[in-house]
C-alpha cells in the first residue's frame, strides 16, 4: 500500500525528477505560464508554491535554499524581486492549472500552469473613427 507516500515519481529517478521540477519552476518564473502535462504540472505546482513562500521570507538563508533547489540564480533573483512581492497579501495558492485537452500524438492531458495574479483582464482597444463632414 502507498499510504502517506506523497512523492509523484513521474517514471524518473529522484535526481532526474528533481532537475525536471526545478527546470519547470524556473521556466514558470521566467515566462509566467508554461504548457506541460497534468502530472508534471501538479508536481511542479507544489515546488513553485514552496519557492514563493521562500521568496516572501526574503532572508539570505531563504535565498540560498531557493538557489540550492532551483540551481538558477537569475530565476531566483526574479522570484525574490518580482514574483514573491506580488503575492505578499496572499496566503497560498499562487498557481493555477488550466486544462487544454489531450495531446494528439500520445493522448496526454495537457495543461497551462500559470501564476494566479499574472494574467489581468485583457484590454479592449476601441478605435474611434471620426467622420469628416465635408
Amino acid at each position: 500500500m502507498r499510504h502517506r507516500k506523497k512523492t509523484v515519481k513521474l517514471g524518473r529517478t529522484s535526481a532526474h525528477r528533481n532537475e525536471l521540477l526545478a527546470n519547470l519552476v524556473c521556466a514558470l518564473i521566467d515566462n509566467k505560464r508554461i504548457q506541460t502535462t497534468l502530472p508534471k504540472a501538479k508536481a511542479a505546482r507544489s515546488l513553485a508554491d514552496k519557492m514563493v513562500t521562500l521568496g516572501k521570507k526574503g532572508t539570505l538563508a531563504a535565498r540560498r535554499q531557493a538557489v540550492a533547489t532551483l540551481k538558477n540564480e537569475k530565476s531566483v533573483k526574479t522570484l525574490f524581486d518580482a514574483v514573491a512581492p506580488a503575492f505578499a497579501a496572499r496566503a497560498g495558492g499562487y498557481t493555477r492549472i488550466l486544462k487544454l485537452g489531450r495531446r494528439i500524438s500520445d493522448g496526454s492531458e495537457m495543461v497551462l500552469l500559470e501564476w494566479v495574479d499574472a494574467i489581468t483582464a485583457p484590454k479592449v482597444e476601441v478605435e474611434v473613427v471620426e467622420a469628416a463632414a465635408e
Side-chain angles (χ1 to χ4, degrees), residues 32-96:
K32 310 295 186 245
R33 67 169 23 177
I34 56 173
Q35 181 177 344
T36 185
T37 61
L38 183 60
K40 288 180 190 175
K42 285 182 176 180
R45 174 177 55 184
S46 173
L47 183 61
D49 288 350
K50 288 175 186 172
M51 291 299 109
V52 172
T53 303
L54 283 177
K56 286 170 64 175
K57 287 182 184 177
T59 62
L60 180 61
R63 188 177 293 264
R64 286 177 175 165
Q65 284 179 331
V67 169
T69 302
L70 298 181
K71 300 167 186 66
N72 188 340
E73 292 183 14
K74 186 182 129 215
S75 295
V76 171
K77 180 170 176 41
T78 305
L79 172 71
F80 275 71
D81 295 344
V83 176
F87 293 115
R90 182 179 284 269
Y94 309 114
T95 56
R96 86 167 51 102

Side-chain angles (χ1 to χ4, degrees), residues 116-133:
V116 173
D117 293 338
I119 305 301
T120 58
K123 295 180 182 177
V124 178
E125 296 181 9
V126 178
E127 213 173 288
V128 178
V129 178
E130 296 180 12

